[in-house]
């Protein structure tokens, strides 16, 4: 509002300056000078209007960008969903924008590439949460940050695992609801004969997804063990202080024990990281199978 008043005042002042200049030029240089002054004044006024409009548009665009960024951040923090990791960044932003009512962005094109977690059944949500916790423990591990693990398994495979688990849980949720609707009312032998094979297939699918989640948890456990070995290796770096302490007390046996344990811990670290990498490779092989 204040900027609008300022620009209005500047416009009035500019117009007054043009009129005064024209009058002065008319008195000094006659009609030709007045016409020239008018043309120059009009060009200057047009330039001022264009510059003002450009600045106003840029200001509005910057304000809209800040507002949109804030709204997208709110969606990321409050809307729980799993998206296909193959989505491009532009597609991912479109999905996020579909949760902002004022934008009126349709979510329909991404219906099959998006799982809304609140729409899953409670058991399905619990399974998905277990899988997410396992993956998050891998991502936050020291061995991950230090690039000691297989980058392909962690950066590409794990998001794909979460997405595939979420999709299967969504289908299972819908089928469970379908079974519940079918079981309402009188259940005849004919109806039971139809439903029992379907229920068995559903149970087998749930068991399979549960096994995948447990495999992710085993991988996370291996990564945690590698982390523990890494912490032991870091503690091992402090052995020099303890060797100096034992040297002052002439404890040769203690010195030998420190050296022996140090060599064992080096091997433990290498073995733990190797086991974690092999567990990640097992995830990849199982997925391909």
């Amino acid at each position: 509002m204040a900027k609008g008043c300022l620009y209005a005042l500047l416009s009035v002042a500019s117009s007054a300056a043009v009129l005064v200049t024209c009058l002065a030029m008319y008195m000094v240089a006659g009609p030709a000078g007045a016409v020239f002054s008018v043309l120059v004044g009009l060009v200057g006024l047009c330039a001022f209007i264009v510059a003002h409009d450009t600045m106003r548009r840029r200001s509005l665009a910057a304000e809209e960008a800040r507002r949109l960024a804030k709204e997208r951040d709110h969606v990321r923090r409050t809307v729980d969903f799993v998206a296909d990791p193959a989505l491009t960044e532009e597609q991912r932003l479109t999905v996020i924008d579909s949760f902002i009512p004022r934008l009126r962005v349709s979510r329909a094109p991404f219906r099959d590439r998006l799982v809304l977690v609140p729409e899953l059944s409670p058991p399905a949500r619990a399974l998905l949460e277990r899988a997410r916790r396992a993956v998050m423990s891998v991502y936050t591990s020291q061995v991950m940050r230090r690039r000691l693990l297989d980058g392909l398994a962690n950066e590409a495979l794990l998001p794909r695992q979460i997405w595939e688990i979420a999709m299967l849980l969504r289908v299972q949720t819908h089928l469970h609801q379908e079974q519940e609707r079918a079981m309402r009312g009188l259940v005849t032998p004919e109806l039971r004969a139809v439903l029992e094979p379907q229920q068995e297939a559903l149970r087998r699918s749930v068991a399979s997804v549960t096994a995948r989640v447990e495999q992710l948890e085993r991988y996370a456990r291996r990564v945690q063990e590698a982390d523990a070995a890494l912490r032991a290796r870091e503690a091992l770096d402090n052995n020099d202080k303890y060797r100096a302490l034992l040297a002052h007390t002439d404890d040769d046996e203690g010195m030998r024990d420190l050296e022996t344990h140090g060599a064992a811990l080096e091997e433990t670290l290498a073995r733990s990281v190797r086991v974690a990498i092999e567990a990640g490779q097992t995830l990849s092989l199982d997925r391909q199978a």
Side-chain angles (χ1 to χ4, degrees), residues 155-173:
E155 296 171 9
L157 178 61
L158 292 182
R160 173 58 55 179
Q161 286 274 343
I162 294 295
W163 166 241
E164 291 177 356
I165 288 171
M167 283 196 301
L168 289 169
L169 291 173
R170 177 175 61 185
V171 174
Q172 291 170 2
T173 294

Side-chain angles (χ1 to χ4, degrees), residues 1-2 6 13 28 31 53 111 114 141 166 173 196 210 242:
M1 183 67 180
L6 177 61
V28 173
D53 186 63
R111 185 179 295 111
L114 183 72
S141 66
T173 294
E196 285 182 350
T210 302
Y242 297 93

Side-chain angles (χ1 to χ4, degrees), residues 41-54:
L42 289 175
V43 170
L45 186 59
C46 290
F48 173 78
I49 293 173
V50 170
H52 166 246
D53 186 63
T54 301

